[in-house]
Amino acid sequence: MKRLTIIVILAVIAFSANAHKYGYIIYIDSKNPVDSRLFKTQCTETLQESIFLNTGLKLDVEKIFEADNLFFEYRENGLSYYVEKRVVKQKKNGKLVYRKITKKERKNLATN
């Protein structure tokens, strides 16, 4: 019984390690180069707040990026607001790496 419990626990850990975590790269470009910004986040609430503060739009991020949608762009009067969905992996040294979603992963997103 103990062996079965240990095997189940290891299987759950292995499955959760392979699950993809998604993050977002946000680039805000305005006419004034001093106001241009680039930042990364994994929190959808932070992303929604940033979209509302910079564009005035109340958007649901999960609905925008459902299926195989990988980016969102809003342009108006010299303001360009660009958001791209990426896969986040953590290196052994603890550094987070935001990498592009491959075509195979994109097809899996579309079918889910």
Side-chain angles (χ1 to χ4, degrees), residues 6-109:
I6 292 172
I7 291 172
V8 170
I9 291 173
L10 290 176
V12 169
I13 291 171
F15 178 73
S16 65
N18 289 334
H20 292 299
K21 293 183 181 179
Y22 295 103
Y24 305 96
I25 295 179
I26 298 102
Y27 181 66
I28 304 167
D29 187 21
S30 63
K31 287 182 180 177
N32 187 356
V34 176
D35 294 334
S36 297
R37 297 180 293 262
L38 173 77
F39 66 95
K40 302 173 184 178
T41 184
Q42 294 179 26
C43 180
T44 56
E45 289 85 21
T46 304
L47 179 58
Q48 286 176 316
E49 204 173 296
S50 173
I51 291 171
F52 181 70
L53 290 175
N54 289 291
T55 64
L57 300 173
K58 284 194 171 190
L59 301 174
D60 187 11
V61 175
E62 281 90 17
K63 286 186 180 181
I64 292 174
F65 290 112
E66 69 184 6
D68 63 345
N69 292 337
L70 297 180
F71 69 92
F72 158 73
E73 186 171 14
Y74 175 79
R75 291 183 181 191
E76 182 183 289
N77 298 335
L79 175 72
S80 177
Y81 191 89
Y82 179 80
V83 180
E84 186 174 351
K85 184 177 184 178
R86 297 235 177 152
V87 174
V88 179
K89 294 273 184 167
Q90 187 171 12
K91 289 186 170 183
K92 290 181 181 178
N93 64 2
K95 183 179 176 182
L96 295 177
V97 177
Y98 288 72
R99 70 166 178 80
K100 287 190 174 186
I101 297 174
T102 63
K103 287 183 181 179
K104 187 176 183 179
E105 292 169 338
R106 190 173 179 180
K107 285 181 183 178
N108 290 339
L109 283 174

